[in-house]
Amino acid sequence: MMKSNNKSNGLNPANLIFSILPLIIAVVLQYVVILGDILILFIYNIFSDERSVGTQTPGQILTEQYNQPMNLAFMTLVKFLMFFVIFGIWYYKVFCKYKVTDETFTIRGYAKFALEPTFTSLTPIFMIIAGVAGQFMVDGILALLRPAFPNAFQDYDSMVQDVTGAASSWVLLLAVMVVAPLGEEFLFRGLTQRYAKRSLGITLAVIFQAILFGVYHGNIIQGGYAFVLGAVLGYLAYSFGSITPGILLHMFLNISLFFVPDALFETTARCVITSIVSALIFVASILFAVKLHKKKQ
């Protein structure tokens, strides 16, 4: 897809509504997964535990310690698979299908036009480097901020523990490392940003989707750096005219979460050095990738 210019088509309420609608649907899908999980648990207990039928109410069954939501890993995977399928097909139908001469829908055609691999052979390397450096940068900055905002880090630490504490689960690894970046890039950079650009222009559209990306993450710590990274991913989507480089960066950012060594953040000096070096590598990798892409064009 050709990279579009910075101009908008004028304020259009329909485009603004459609730019927010994917996030609303994403929130609804999360609750659908939770409710589905509770329903499965309820049915399971009714038929598998004879004592529950005779002595406990449905409410009591659901509040038993062993009846917490099924497995975080499977719930996360199901949620992001739904994101990937629904938002991926939506993105393809609205923004890519008009380029296809053969009207027959195929998996190959979907992948080709929805992901649009139009970049140079070095772009994936730069995105991998940027993704790893980005995670080191974020962890270093958060380590420096943690002593000043201990209360704000409680929800964030709980979220990280839920993810990294189940790192042995291949299901969760698949969800966080692969499926989540695909689903979120289709949602925010594929749909939200492109719809918003029609009314707001590219600069405001990038900022707008980055704000929604931050809010979507649900806590002030993760939301803060998600906003910054969302803006970077939006810039990449615009610069390349494709969401694929952002998907690669996003994947390796998430992958690195499981492998960042704690030793790099044991002292303030190490945190500062790690943050600065990682930030320089992160920015340089992105700028070099964009520059090479522009030369190719």
Side-chain angles (χ1 to χ4, degrees):
M1 188 173 296
M2 294 298 292
K3 184 175 72 172
S4 53
N5 55 36
N6 191 39
K7 296 181 180 179
S8 69
N9 297 327
L11 190 62
N12 186 322
N15 286 325
L16 291 179
I17 291 173
F18 274 105
S19 67
I20 299 173
L21 184 59
L23 180 57
I24 296 174
I25 294 175
V27 173
V28 172
L29 290 175
Q30 292 186 66
Y31 281 102
V32 168
V33 172
I34 293 171
L35 291 175
D37 183 37
I38 291 174
L39 179 61
I40 292 171
L41 282 171
F42 176 73
I43 296 173
Y44 172 80
N45 279 276
I46 289 294
F47 290 100
S48 67
D49 189 349
E50 294 180 359
R51 292 172 303 167
S52 297
V53 178
T55 64
Q56 292 181 293
T57 66
Q60 289 173 326
I61 292 173
L62 291 176
T63 55
E64 286 287 348
Q65 182 64 34
Y66 58 84
N67 280 319
Q68 297 305 310
M70 195 182 294
N71 183 291
L72 172 66
F74 282 99
M75 289 179 64
T76 303
L77 180 61
V78 169
K79 179 183 74 173
F80 286 119
L81 281 173
M82 293 171 72
F83 283 15
F84 171 62
V85 173
I86 293 172
F87 300 128
I89 293 175
W90 183 351
Y91 175 71
Y92 169 82
K93 292 286 187 179
V94 175
F95 295 104
C96 303
K97 190 176 181 180
Y98 70 89
K99 294 184 64 178
V100 184
T101 56
D102 182 2
E103 293 297 323
T104 303
F105 180 86
T106 64
I107 297 298
R108 181 179 179 183
Y110 170 82
K112 178 179 179 181
F113 291 98
L115 298 179
E116 306 169 291
T118 59
F119 42 80
T120 69
S121 58
L122 291 176
T123 298
I125 297 175
F126 282 120
M127 292 301 102
I128 291 171
I129 294 172
V132 175
Q135 187 62 59
F136 277 62
M137 174 185 69
V138 168
D139 283 1
I141 293 173
L142 293 184
L144 292 171
L145 293 176
R146 183 179 296 276
F149 306 98
N151 294 331
F153 274 87
Q154 290 181 357
D155 290 342
Y156 176 75
D157 289 339
S158 177
M159 180 276 300
V160 172
Q161 183 58 40
D162 285 341
V163 175
T164 58
S168 60
S169 168
W170 68 267
V171 177
L172 186 62
L173 292 176
L174 175 64
V176 173
M177 293 180 179
V178 179
V179 188
L182 285 166
E184 289 177 353
E185 290 309 308
F186 277 124
L187 195 171
F188 290 100
R189 266 59 69 178
L191 293 173
T192 297
Q193 180 166 307
R194 288 182 183 247
Y195 276 121
K197 180 195 167 295
R198 292 176 173 179
S199 288
L200 303 177
I202 188 59
T203 301
L204 290 179
V206 168
I207 295 172
F208 178 73
Q209 63 81 22
I211 291 173
L212 294 185
F213 189 54
V215 171
Y216 158 81
H217 281 82
N219 64 79
I220 191 169
I221 301 299
Q222 195 179 17
Y225 69 73
F227 165 76
V228 176
L229 293 172
V232 171
L233 291 167
Y235 167 72
L236 286 173
Y238 168 68
S239 297
F240 284 91
S242 168
I243 62 173
T244 306
I247 289 174
L248 292 173
L249 190 155
H250 199 157
M251 281 183 178
F252 281 89
L253 186 81
N254 287 7
I255 290 171
S256 302
L257 174 66
F258 296 92
F259 305 109
V260 175
D262 294 335
L264 291 174
F265 312 106
E266 289 178 345
T267 66
T268 300
R270 289 184 183 181
C271 287
V272 171
I273 294 172
T274 299
S275 300
I276 292 174
V277 173
S278 299
L280 291 174
I281 295 173
F282 178 73
V283 172
S285 299
I286 291 171
L287 293 180
F288 277 126
V290 172
K291 184 176 181 180
L292 287 176
H293 177 70
K294 289 182 177 178
K295 282 186 175 181
K296 177 185 176 181
Q297 290 181 317

